[in-house]
Amino acid sequence: MAKVPAAAVAAGGLVGGYAVARWTGKRPLGGVALAAAGTVAAYEWNRQAGPRAAVGLSTAYVAAFAGSHPLAKKVGAWPAVFAVAGGVAAASWAVTRRAV
């Protein structure tokens, strides 16, 4: 089974969570997708770089989700989601690449 990098899981969770919420019209369902991907990413962050990195990157993940809302008012929903997903992916890659 191929290993998916935690950076891709986290970015996919932000993008996928928004997509699910938007296309189904059910925000809680998008939240489930967001939380599921965040849980998998946090597990991988902990495994690869330790608990401090996992806590820091999980905090960044939640902050990116929250920050996408005011950013969306300035640049639009999809650009905001892609921007914060890219930021979380970059942070994840930067932290975990040294640990592997």
Side-chain angles (χ1 to χ4, degrees), residues 40-88:
V40 170
Y43 173 81
E44 284 301 314
W45 291 327
N46 184 53
R47 194 179 67 72
Q48 293 174 9
R52 288 182 65 185
V55 168
L57 289 168
S58 295
T59 301
Y61 184 77
V62 173
F65 166 69
S68 69
H69 292 81
L71 182 59
K73 292 179 181 179
K74 296 181 186 299
V75 300
W78 281 111
V81 170
F82 287 129
V84 299
V88 168

